[in-house]
Amino acid sequence: MEATATHGFAGLILIFVSAAFTDNVLLTRFLGMCSCLGVSKKVDTSIGLGAAVTFVTSVTTALNYLVYKFVLLPLDLDFLRFLTFIVIIAAFTQLVEMIIDRYSPSLYYALGIFLPLITVNCAILGISLFMVNKPYNFLEAFLFGAGGGFGWFLAITLIGGIREKINESMLPKGLEGPGITLIIIGIMSLAFIGFSGIIKV
Amino acid sequence: MASSGKLFIDAFWKNNPILIQVLGVCSTLAVTNLLANTLFMCFGLIFTTGLSNLTISALRNHIPDRIRMIVQVLIISIYVMIVDIVIKAVSPDIHRFIGPYVGLIITNCIVMGRAEAFASQNKPFTSFLDGIAMGMGYSMILVLIALVREPLGFGTILGYKLPGLELWWHQWTIMVMAPGAFFMLALFTWFARAKMAAPEGATK
């Protein structure tokens, strides 16, 4: 089944599920590792950052799609895509931060510290860059972004849960922190390879 | 300059961007399944860290504090664009594979991290050296990991078959897939941190 051959509702769901599970950005594409290693110490913070990333990814992937298709390609400015995408992502994050700050201070305090982290989260820029290589239309691109963000959210929450438990056990000195987290992620990534037979996109 | 030598030693070992600061891990893992990809990535990264550090440090007194993140990202992405175009021209095949990851140098935390932590406070020349040193410390780990993953996974180095290996070595596919990368990096981090912790613990 080719990505272009999947039509209708089922095709859209396939794109979302494959972006979230079989092509999980964190576990198979290695994106967003830095903030994942830093933030995944607790489930609460993981969920907070995961939710923020999912939201920003969905919207910015759609925005980037529009800009890429209707501005960059017609003007033959393909090589400017890095610059454009990162500016859109940074501007959007800034905007969200200001809106949340204005209308919902409590949400701002919950998410506030994560928002600056999002600009430099490679998962978001990465999903936009992978989107460029795929033959998607607007809705598909949006779902690809949403699925990718959701996959990241899922992975970081699971890792947060495992790390909370593992902090209570004895570890070799050098393995504490990033070392053991990388091994956990490695094992989870092995498990996620199991999904790869389910959908072929 | 005595301090520039120290800068390099720090970047290679005591303050290694990957093993100790745990920055820029994403691309480390993604491009290290083939040594050739890794070398291109390293070239791009050293170029970007060095020059973006130089530029940001030269402009550091003129960038307003509030928008400095955006300015830094813009400066970095200009250099990444140059790298992208150069790689595309030199080797379109490799570009097809590592293309998206080259773009991700922009959000590679080493580049941003050094710009923020070092270049925004130090003189241009020192910052330039720091950028190069950090890029090289990063590259060293990338090349080491690639040197383990490519032979184990494909039985080749830089695409050349290792002599005699196919007689007894069954290709260890998991090594070139995602989990292999995580496990290799975990082992490297473990080794480095265990080695590092010992002498420090003794002096304290």
Side-chain angles (χ1 to χ4, degrees):
Chain A
M1 218 188 317
E2 294 236 349
T4 42
T6 53
H7 287 299
F9 192 59
L12 295 179
I13 291 188
L14 264 185
I15 287 176
F16 182 84
V17 173
S18 76
F21 292 100
T22 56
D23 241 359
N24 189 294
V25 270
L26 182 71
L27 299 172
T28 64
R29 302 274 198 194
F30 316 101
L31 299 181
M33 282 294 299
C34 316
S35 29
C36 171
L37 287 175
V39 172
S40 66
K41 285 193 191 82
K42 285 221 164 78
V43 179
D44 302 349
T45 47
S46 304
I47 291 179
L49 182 65
V53 165
T54 312
F55 174 65
V56 174
T57 318
S58 323
V59 181
T60 52
T61 312
L63 283 178
N64 284 340
Y65 175 86
L66 292 178
V67 171
Y68 186 70
K69 270 274 143 51
F70 297 111
V71 179
L72 293 187
L73 279 187
L75 296 177
D76 208 12
L77 288 174
D78 190 25
F79 64 93
L80 277 180
R81 66 181 185 283
F82 296 156
L83 201 65
T84 325
F85 286 1
I86 196 74
V87 169
I88 290 177
I89 292 170
F92 182 75
T93 326
Q94 194 85 55
L95 198 70
V96 171
E97 195 176 345
M98 281 174 348
I99 292 175
I100 295 181
D101 185 24
R102 179 78 177 73
Y103 289 104
S104 169
S106 59
L107 186 63
Y108 182 75
Y109 282 115
L111 282 185
I113 45 162
F114 300 124
L115 287 168
L117 277 178
I118 287 179
T119 317
V120 287
N121 188 324
C122 25
I124 294 171
L125 181 64
I127 290 173
S128 286
L129 290 175
F130 285 124
M131 177 270 297
V132 165
N133 293 337
K134 304 204 172 204
Y136 287 158
N137 63 29
F138 176 69
L139 191 58
E140 287 169 337
F142 170 73
L143 281 174
F144 180 69
F150 178 72
W152 199 85
F153 168 76
L154 196 70
I156 193 178
T157 313
L158 292 174
I159 293 166
I162 298 175
R163 279 186 78 175
E164 267 187 9
K165 288 279 174 226
I166 234 161
N167 279 343
E168 294 162 11
S169 36
M170 297 280 284
L171 287 173
K173 192 101 186 72
L175 207 51
E176 279 168 7
I180 190 69
T181 315
L182 282 167
I183 292 182
I184 297 171
I185 299 175
I187 295 172
M188 283 183 54
S189 143
L190 269 177
F192 267 65
I193 286 182
F195 284 118
S196 63
I198 301 177
I199 310 168
K200 287 192 180 65
V201 174
Chain B
M1 232 200 221
S3 66
S4 61
K6 196 175 153 292
L7 220 57
F8 276 86
I9 295 170
D10 272 4
F12 275 112
W13 182 241
K14 238 171 76 190
N15 209 2
N16 187 288
I18 295 182
L19 298 179
I20 305 309
Q21 307 179 49
V22 206
L23 292 179
V25 184
C26 325
S27 32
T28 322
L29 300 164
V31 299
T32 50
N33 55 355
L34 283 172
L35 189 56
N37 294 345
T38 313
L39 292 177
F40 272 93
M41 190 72 186
C42 294
F43 149 76
L45 196 107
I46 295 176
F47 178 84
T48 317
T49 42
L51 287 180
S52 64
N53 258 9
L54 178 72
T55 319
I56 289 167
S57 159
L59 294 175
R60 70 187 186 284
N61 295 329
H62 306 286
I63 304 176
D65 214 35
R66 278 181 66 88
I67 57 162
R68 75 172 186 287
M69 291 275 273
I70 299 216
V71 175
Q72 287 169 358
V73 168
L74 284 183
I75 292 172
I76 293 167
S77 51
I78 289 167
Y79 288 115
V80 172
M81 240 155 56
I82 299 173
V83 171
D84 184 57
I85 293 169
V86 169
I87 292 183
K88 208 174 197 167
V90 173
S91 169
D93 285 341
I94 288 183
H95 183 267
R96 203 166 308 133
F97 182 75
I98 65 170
Y101 292 102
V102 171
L104 290 172
I105 295 179
I106 300 174
T107 49
N108 190 317
C109 346
I110 299 191
V111 188
M112 276 298 275
R114 291 325 285 179
E116 182 69 19
F118 199 92
S120 56
Q121 279 142 28
N122 286 282
K123 291 219 166 66
F125 184 67
T126 332
S127 305
F128 178 65
L129 281 183
D130 177 76
I132 298 280
M134 281 297 159
M136 283 168 72
Y138 176 87
S139 306
M140 177 185 72
I141 305 297
L142 245 69
V143 170
L144 282 179
I145 293 181
L147 272 177
V148 178
R149 286 181 73 195
E150 193 183 336
L152 290 184
F154 290 122
T156 56
I157 283 185
L158 273 175
Y160 297 106
K161 281 247 174 304
L162 293 179
L165 202 61
E166 68 267 26
L167 297 178
W168 54 273
W169 181 255
H170 185 74
Q171 292 189 355
W172 192 2
T173 323
I174 211 79
M175 244 20 237
V176 287
M177 293 172 75
F182 288 120
F183 291 135
M184 279 315 302
L185 184 61
L187 289 179
F188 271 87
T189 330
W190 185 2
F191 175 77
R193 291 188 171 228
K195 276 266 172 262
M196 205 116 13
E200 264 174 29
T203 49
K204 260 176 201 168

